[in-house]
Amino acid sequence: MDKLTNFDKYVKENEGLVAVGFGTPMTSATWSTAGLRGGNTGYTFTPIAGRVKDLAMGIAQQGLDYEGNENPDHSGTGYIKEAKQHIGDAIDESYDSMSTKESKAVTEEYIETLDGKKDITNALEEISLAWLDWKTGPVTEPSDIKPAQKELINFVIKFLKKNIK
């Protein structure tokens, strides 16, 4: 899965962003699975929620603690790598399951059934032709096009929401 475009900018602009991870940063809330340890790494599966930066600090601290324990086979970088993999896999799995459900749910089968006589298509084409006539007309200023486009779309949406129940 590729990095989301502009995600870092989004996070900076939305400081209230809540994420889920592992660790114990001071500003996070913890829930009831304390004490569970994972696989060979020994990191805690105590779920937390908070700002991404706070979560990262908590996970980094756990990596340092893990590396500093008595077991010489434990490394902080190995801990961080496994934590990232675990979190990334969970995000990918959730995203894939959601996008699969939505792509299956949105079809045009109902429209094909409703528009058997092409009444809906013809009406939408009429709106499109009226828009094109106005847009290319002699009195239309280029600066009017974007606001008028937005107004027309909002008008149609409002009309449909009011009349299709």
Side-chain angles (χ1 to χ4, degrees), residues 40-59:
N40 296 325
T41 66
Y43 69 86
T44 178
F45 282 106
T46 303
I48 59 171
R51 291 183 355 195
V52 172
K53 186 172 183 172
D54 296 329
L55 299 176
M57 292 295 288
I59 294 169

Side-chain angles (χ1 to χ4, degrees), residues 23-35:
T24 53
M26 301 298 266
T27 60
S28 66
T30 60
W31 288 280
S32 64
T33 57

